[in-house]
């Protein structure tokens, strides 16, 4: 009996030990599993954090790129600065370009809505305009009809330094047509040549430049009275080139490059197509107050 009891006790103890060992092993496995899960969670969290940091870096790069894109450009899909196309504009740091208002155009790389302009010059028929030279030796001088008399029907035209207050410096501009072609007539509004139109006839310089006149109208050659305006944006300012549209000296640009023989502050208004004079073709068209 004692031996049987001993055997039973021994078996019970072994079973209990087995159970304890099993529990210990299971606890260890649970701990290992828990550690594995925590490690996996840590790795997942780390990946998420790294991704968030990468996204933040991308955002920072985009913001930094936008800050460094100059006006007139934008950040494209490649995160690079690209020039705005024609008929659009942008401010510094833009992510896209803005369309010019209806019926207005702009050059590529325009940096302001102010750089959008009417492709066709649209004069106010009731307005008085000043025509001011914008480049060359006569820069800032005004076009005036108070010039030398040519004959009873016409007079010469020149530019001179002025405060811009003289009545002979005021011009009317009217859009018209010649043989179904759009053009403009420019008329002296005051002084001895009041009502006479800006024209170019046959009078030429030794270099072949046509001399600009004001002439009594109506005239038997309306084509000599037609001009066109070419809009030009430079350094954010709108200028125009005045081009002889039809008639004699057609296609030549109005300039002020030929000095008067006896007056240093007087340059003739002429039209030319000489290559060396093409840097002197800009004018401001200013509405008089």
């Amino acid at each position: 009996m004692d031996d049987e009891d001993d055997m039973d006790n021994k078996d019970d103890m072994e079973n209990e030990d087995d159970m304890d060992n099993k529990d210990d092993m299971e606890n260890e496995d649970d701990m290992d599993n828990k550690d594995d899960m925590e490690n996996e969670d840590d790795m997942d969290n780390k990946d998420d954090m790294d991704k968030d940091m990468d996204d933040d870096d991308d955002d920072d790069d985009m913001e930094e790129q936008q800050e460094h894109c100059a006006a007139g450009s934008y950040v494209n899909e490649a995160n690079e600065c690209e020039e705005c196309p024609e008929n659009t504009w942008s401010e510094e740091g833009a992510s896209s370009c803005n369309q010019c208002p209806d019926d207005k155009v702009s050059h590529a790389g325009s940096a302001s809505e102010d750089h959008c302009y009417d492709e066709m010059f649209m004069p106010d028929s009731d307005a008085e305009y000043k025509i001011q030279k914008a480049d060359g030796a006569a820069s800032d001088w005004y076009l005036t009809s108070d010039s030398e008399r040519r004959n009873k029907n016409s007079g010469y035209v020149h530019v001179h330094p002025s405060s811009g207050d003289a009545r002979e410096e005021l011009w009317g501009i009217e859009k018209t047509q010649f043989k179904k072609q759009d053009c403009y007539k420019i008329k002296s509004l005051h002084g001895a040549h009041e009502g006479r139109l800006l024209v170019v006839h046959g009078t030429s310089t030794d270099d072949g430049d046509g001399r600009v006149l004001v002439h009594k109208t109506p005239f038997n050659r309306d084509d000599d009275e037609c001009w066109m305006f070419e809009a030009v944006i430079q350094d954010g300012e709108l200028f125009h080139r005045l081009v002889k549209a039809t008639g004699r000296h057609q296609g030549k640009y109005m300039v002020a490059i030929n000095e008067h023989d006896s007056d240093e502050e007087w340059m003739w208004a002429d039209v030319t197509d000489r290559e060396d004079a093409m840097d002197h073709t800009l004018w401001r068209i200013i509405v008089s107050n």
Side-chain angles (χ1 to χ4, degrees):
M1 291 286 291
D2 290 338
D3 291 338
E4 289 179 5
D5 290 339
D6 290 340
M7 289 296 291
D8 290 338
N9 289 335
K10 183 177 179 182
D11 291 338
D12 290 340
M13 290 175 65
E14 287 178 352
N15 289 335
E16 288 178 4
D17 288 340
D18 288 341
M19 290 297 291
D20 289 340
N21 289 336
K22 183 178 180 181
D23 289 341
D24 290 340
M25 291 176 66
E26 288 178 349
N27 288 336
E28 288 177 4
D29 288 341
D30 288 342
M31 289 298 291
D32 290 340
N33 289 336
K34 183 178 180 182
D35 289 340
D36 291 340
M37 291 175 66
E38 288 178 350
N39 287 336
E40 289 178 3
D41 288 340
D42 288 343
M43 288 299 290
D44 289 340
N45 289 336
K46 183 180 179 184
D47 289 341
D48 290 339
M49 290 175 65
D50 289 342
K51 184 178 179 181
D52 289 340
M53 290 181 67
D54 289 340
D55 290 341
D56 289 340
D57 288 341
D58 290 341
D59 291 340
D60 290 341
D61 289 342
M62 178 66 78
E63 289 177 3
E64 183 176 351
Q65 188 71 37
Q66 284 182 235
E67 289 175 2
H68 286 85
C69 283
S73 61
Y74 70 102
V75 181
N76 62 18
E77 293 180 356
N79 200 27
E80 298 174 343
C81 292
E82 185 172 333
E83 186 179 63
C84 287
E86 291 181 351
N87 308 328
T88 66
W89 61 276
S90 75
E91 296 179 343
E92 182 179 0
S95 58
S96 62
C97 301
N98 303 297
Q99 195 70 30
C100 283
D102 291 344
D103 301 323
K104 290 185 180 291
V105 298
S106 71
H107 298 296
S110 292
S112 167
E113 187 174 351
D114 292 339
H115 295 178
C116 299
Y117 58 91
D118 293 307
E119 188 170 19
M120 289 290 292
F121 182 67
M122 301 300 292
D124 181 346
S125 59
D126 296 325
E128 295 185 336
Y129 293 91
K130 300 173 186 177
I131 302 176
Q132 183 187 43
K133 199 71 188 71
D135 57 12
S139 182
D140 297 332
W141 292 11
Y142 287 91
L143 186 72
T144 177
S145 63
D146 182 23
S147 192
E148 293 180 355
R149 180 187 175 98
R150 178 174 176 264
N151 57 40
K152 66 177 183 178
N153 292 321
S154 64
Y156 294 105
V157 177
H158 72 276
V159 295
H160 63 163
S162 164
S163 61
D165 295 329
R167 289 172 61 78
E168 290 83 4
E169 296 166 357
L170 296 175
W171 302 86
I173 303 175
E174 177 186 1
K175 186 177 180 182
T176 184
Q177 284 191 330
F178 177 77
K179 294 184 177 180
K180 298 183 179 180
Q181 177 182 338
D182 287 336
C183 65
Y184 300 84
K185 294 188 176 183
I186 304 171
K187 179 170 61 176
S188 176
L189 295 180
H190 303 283
H193 295 293
E194 179 179 346
R196 293 184 173 184
L197 295 179
L198 204 65
V199 300
V200 186
H201 291 168
T203 305
S204 299
T205 68
D206 293 339
D207 293 315
D209 300 336
R211 186 122 294 171
V212 179
L213 313 168
V214 281
H215 195 280
K216 182 179 179 180
T217 190
F219 182 56
N220 61 354
R221 291 197 57 171
D222 291 349
D223 54 344
D224 283 337
E225 302 172 349
C226 279
W227 297 82
M228 284 299 296
F229 290 82
E230 290 182 0
V232 179
I233 289 283
Q234 281 193 7
D235 299 325
E237 185 176 357
L238 176 64
F239 303 98
H240 286 86
R241 295 188 176 105
L242 279 71
V243 191
K244 195 67 178 60
T246 57
R248 286 171 281 188
H249 299 281
Q250 180 178 356
K252 293 185 178 181
Y253 291 85
M254 190 164 80
V255 295
I257 55 177
N258 296 310
E259 296 181 359
H260 191 276
D261 291 338
S262 59
D263 191 338
E264 294 180 358
E265 294 191 340
W266 174 321
M267 286 193 176
W268 298 107
D270 296 316
V271 292
T272 187
D273 56 3
R274 287 188 288 134
E275 186 175 348
D276 60 351
M278 289 298 101
D279 290 335
H280 305 279
T281 57
L282 298 182
W283 300 80
R284 294 183 184 93
I285 310 300
I286 305 168
V287 178
S288 179
N289 295 328

